[in-house]
Amino acid sequence: MFIVSITYCTDLSQVELLLAEHLRFLDANYQAGHFLASGPKVPRTGGIILANIPSREALHTLLENDPFYRDGIAVYEITEFSVTKAAANLSELVVQSS
């Protein structure tokens, strides 16, 4: 499981120009089962994506298609973590210890 923290490195007017394309990128990855949740930071300095994807490399490759990344208007910080507890409706995300 990964938390992707996106931080804008330009003003919001540049972000707005690519927002519709970014939302299509998100929608495609929700449909593919890669993303579980996302939304803007408060205040709006970037966003957060909760991703369930097999590897950091696969996530990085996927994020290269995000227009915010592609056009260099945001930087991405990726944090990997192991889910050991979750709400009942997310229990399938819990990593079983061996």
Side-chain angles (χ1 to χ4, degrees):
M1 179 76 58
F2 298 90
I3 299 169
V4 180
S5 178
I6 301 166
T7 303
Y8 303 139
C9 53
T10 188
D11 60 74
L12 284 178
S13 64
Q14 295 299 311
V15 172
E16 290 296 331
L17 292 174
L18 293 173
L19 186 58
E21 189 179 352
H22 171 72
L23 293 174
R24 287 191 296 274
F25 164 81
L26 292 175
D27 289 343
N29 284 287
Y30 276 108
Q31 287 183 330
H34 300 308
F35 294 167
L36 301 174
S38 62
K41 292 178 181 177
V42 178
R44 193 172 168 207
T45 58
I48 299 290
I49 300 171
L50 186 58
N52 190 20
I53 196 163
S55 70
R56 181 180 294 271
E57 294 77 22
L59 177 58
H60 185 21
T61 298
L62 185 120
L63 291 173
E64 288 176 344
N65 294 307
D66 185 344
F68 289 173
Y69 183 96
R70 180 196 67 216
D71 288 11
I73 66 167
V75 293
Y76 290 64
E77 179 183 347
I78 298 171
T79 303
E80 184 172 5
F81 73 104
S82 295
V83 179
T84 58
K85 287 191 173 283
N89 60 331
L90 298 174
S91 62
E92 71 276 3
L93 301 175
V94 175
V95 175
Q96 302 298 318
S97 60
S98 35

